[in-house]
Amino acid sequence: MTAAPLPDGLVAIVKRDCPTCRFVAPVLADLADGALPLTVYSQDDPTFPDDVKVVDDTELEVSFALELETVPTLLLVAGGEIVARTEGWLRPEWEELTGRAPLGAGLPEYRPGCGSRTVDPDIAAARSDAAGAAGLGPRRVDLGEHEDDVEAAFERGWTDGLPVVPPTLERVARMLAGTSRDPADVVAVVPPDLVECTVEKVAINAVLAGCKPEYLPVVITAVEAACTDEFNVHGLLATTYFSSPVMVVNGPITKAIGMNAGINVLGQGNRANATIGRALQLVVRNVGGGRPGGVDRATLGNPGKYTFCFAEDEAGSPWEPLHVERGLAPDASAVTLFAGDGVRGMVDQLSRAPESLARSLAACLRAVPHPKMALGFDVVVVVSPEHGRVFREGGWSKARLRDELLALLQLDGDDVIRGAGGIAEGLPKGLAGATVPKFRDDGLLLVHAGGGAGLFSAIIGGWINGPGGSQPVTREVRP
Amino acid sequence: MSPRVLLDPTGERTPATREWSPRPASLDGRTVGLLDISKPRGDVFLDRLEEQLTERGLRVRRFTKPTFSKPAPVDLRHEIGTQCDVVIEALAD
């Protein structure tokens, strides 16, 4: 994109859209007949000015090379070098630069110029995108002449079954503006293929998912968190069980990027929630190579495998937010990943005392993932504002509620051993007579979110916990 | 107009486009498959080709797709691929 050297003599850059350029058109026509050769570049209309031979600069190659801000700009060029320059119309400067006087008889002394098209924000942004895209590392995929770009993404296996936004060079360059990280930085090694995933690969998949650039730091953090030994996204992908990553986002970034923590928080309709969760899934699919029927062996799966991402309602919460509980500063932004199996509804419309509501919750939590199983699965409870209000008014801290729930969920071994209740499934018979905790002490996560009306909470059951399965992982989001 | 160049979102472990197999410089000593896609009169064309190819001393094998409206079954493609060096497909009508 380098422009040819400037011709010697007078050089003017104009556009028809500029009143001052139209105003000086007769002056240019005068100069065209003078001793110094005159070259006029037009930014918007190669037939303007009418009485002068004009060079087409509608692609703005010359204008960008000159770092032009104003039209008209008049230059004096000698030996390819600019020796004098003036912008707008100021008669004495034009006369001095051209060596011709008087110039522009009948015109006023001064008229300011207009903005060059090169400083039009849309044009400047497009140029910056094109320049950024040129340096990107990932492989180019050339489409056929008659190939539809959205269909092409389906045919190449890049989608989760829904259409994706085609990852053009410009879109990916714009996406990368959302992070200060180097596009070539390796974010993580993504299973199951154990492929090094760069920032730009995350950005491509964020484009596919429909993210805005400002979401990218959250997606990058989620990829980092997923690809840790603790979270074990490989095992989570490969399991026949329902589960996949559930993402809770905390901190100031949730408001800054417009995430939903309120009405229909676990449902559809918010771009940030929907596309951030989807981008993580697409990274695992495309970069890691994890696909249903391949390494993903889920028997039934769950709709959260398209996307499952939401923000905690911190402002309305009776408790400290999840990321603070997990060791980060209140003003930090963070992603917490949990290996979740989907949403089961929990209703209690009558409890107004925390003791009663805690018993209700405990009764429902007993079924995760089976009433006769214990300790193998963690759980997230998304407490809605109306349920949260019961605990706030009762003066229950989050720690108090967790302790009460864990205490209420001490199972009698006789009830849950194999064969008990006429059900073969259950804990080993050796636990007859023992007391068995339903959840491990750190296996019960409480999050506050949802719309203001409705005495419901949501229970998101986990997958195998502990070192052999998946541990919840919290990571700070950095720009 | 839709974009003509996209950036690859994958781990880049498989080729983005498949290359054509190299074309043989001559048919000498090759086995030629003749694939009838089951369009009317495709057999007339292929019968004549078979005569000419056989006169040149080439081995010819004939294949027929069950229906022109669907891609050739995997087994048929495998059979052609393992038994022939080149294949001529008759569209006809």
Side-chain angles (χ1 to χ4, degrees), chain A residues 16 32 59 80 124 131 150 199 221-222 242 285 320 335 351 388 430 455:
Chain A
R16 186 188 280 280
E59 295 292 320
V150 174
V199 168
T221 308
F242 305 83
R285 175 187 179 88
E320 72 279 18
V335 165
S351 291
L455 285 148

Side-chain angles (χ1 to χ4, degrees), chain A residues 65-201:
Chain A
L66 290 169
E67 297 178 357
L68 219 58
E69 294 185 352
T70 304
V71 287
T73 287
L74 183 67
L75 309 170
L76 181 62
V77 180
E81 299 294 323
I82 298 168
V83 294
R85 177 173 190 142
T86 181
E87 294 169 350
W89 162 254
L90 186 58
R91 189 198 318 273
E93 288 204 4
W94 278 59
E95 288 178 346
E96 186 188 339
L97 189 146
T98 60
R100 295 267 304 268
L103 265 185
L107 300 185
E109 285 292 291
Y110 172 64
R111 278 285 178 93
C114 302
S116 162
R117 285 188 66 224
T118 50
V119 296
D120 177 314
D122 288 345
I123 291 172
R127 177 144 177 125
S128 159
D129 292 344
L136 293 177
R139 187 162 72 183
R140 271 65 170 163
V141 176
D142 294 322
L143 301 189
E145 192 182 347
H146 301 294
E147 199 170 17
D148 179 275
D149 51 351
V150 174
E151 292 298 330
F154 276 111
E155 282 159 18
R156 284 164 179 75
W158 298 345
T159 98
D160 49 15
L162 293 171
V164 291
V165 176
T168 60
L169 277 66
E170 291 76 10
R171 287 189 180 121
V172 174
R174 277 201 293 278
M175 183 61 68
L176 283 164
T179 178
S180 59
R181 294 188 60 170
D182 189 306
D185 270 3
V186 174
V187 173
V189 176
V190 185
D193 290 349
L194 299 177
V195 172
E196 285 193 344
C197 179
T198 56
V199 168
E200 53 196 358
K201 282 286 181 190

Side-chain angles (χ1 to χ4, degrees), chain A residues 1-73:
Chain A
M1 290 218 179
T2 49
L6 289 170
D8 280 359
L10 296 170
V11 171
I13 302 94
V14 297
K15 63 177 186 183
R16 186 188 280 280
D17 194 37
C18 163
T20 304
C21 294
R22 296 200 296 272
F23 172 92
V24 301
V27 179
L28 294 171
D30 271 357
L31 292 171
D33 296 332
L36 281 170
L38 171 71
T39 310
V40 178
Y41 293 94
S42 175
Q43 292 187 336
D44 59 351
D45 179 355
T47 69
F48 171 80
D50 301 332
D51 302 327
V52 180
K53 185 160 171 282
V54 178
V55 181
D56 184 344
D57 194 39
T58 50
E59 295 292 320
L60 303 176
E61 290 303 316
V62 172
S63 297
F64 270 115
L66 290 169
E67 297 178 357
L68 219 58
E69 294 185 352
T70 304
V71 287
T73 287

Side-chain angles (χ1 to χ4, degrees), chain B residues 32-36 46 49-50 53 60-63 87-88:
Chain B
V32 180
L34 298 179
L35 175 61
D36 184 342
L46 290 177
L49 276 185
E50 182 173 6
L53 293 168
V60 173
R61 292 185 188 279
R62 298 287 292 259
F63 302 92
V87 64
I88 299 172

